[in-house]
Amino acid sequence: MTNLTSVNIAEVMDSPEKIEWILNKIAFLESELAKLKKPQNQWLTLEEAAAELGKSVSAVRQRVKNKDKPMPEGKVWKQADKGHAISVNVANFRKYM
């Protein structure tokens, strides 16, 4: 097994590849940092929650309002009234999945 500290990136990649690799790594680290900075008990719109969870809007809506096993209203999702926007608590959504 190769020791990662012994690999010299200069020997493996040329300059354009190194730049692209570094930019991709920075973008990934920035997205991970943004996730850590978000408050854990935040209510998001259905669309924002779906993006955060990596699911479609309809999949999240169907999951929270499932007829056989709905997620708890007020803990995972809330809605002022029928026809109004649905808000989702992503942290609790993950707990109940």
Side-chain angles (χ1 to χ4, degrees):
M1 184 172 196
T2 304
N3 183 355
L4 293 179
T5 57
S6 67
V7 175
N8 184 353
I9 198 166
E11 296 173 359
V12 180
M13 299 179 186
D14 60 13
S15 293
E17 287 177 324
K18 285 184 232 176
I19 292 168
E20 183 178 350
W21 182 83
I22 290 169
L23 291 174
N24 288 336
K25 191 67 163 177
I26 289 170
F28 171 76
L29 293 172
E30 285 176 339
S31 70
E32 291 298 307
L33 184 59
K35 288 178 189 176
L36 292 173
K37 286 183 175 181
K38 281 187 181 177
Q40 293 300 306
N41 240 359
Q42 183 179 9
W43 289 92
L44 302 176
T45 65
L46 191 59
E47 293 77 13
E48 292 168 334
E52 179 75 22
L53 294 163
K55 301 187 179 304
S56 70
V57 172
S58 63
V60 175
R61 182 184 297 109
Q62 288 173 10
R63 182 63 190 101
V64 298
K65 291 196 159 193
N66 186 303
K67 289 182 182 179
D68 298 328
K69 190 178 174 189
M71 291 188 157
E73 186 173 0
K75 288 185 180 182
V76 176
W77 66 279
K78 61 184 179 181
Q79 185 177 23
D81 205 359
K82 256 191 173 169
H84 287 96
I86 297 172
S87 297
V88 178
N89 184 309
V90 175
N92 286 343
F93 184 96
R94 287 185 174 123
K95 286 179 192 175
Y96 284 91
M97 275 306 290

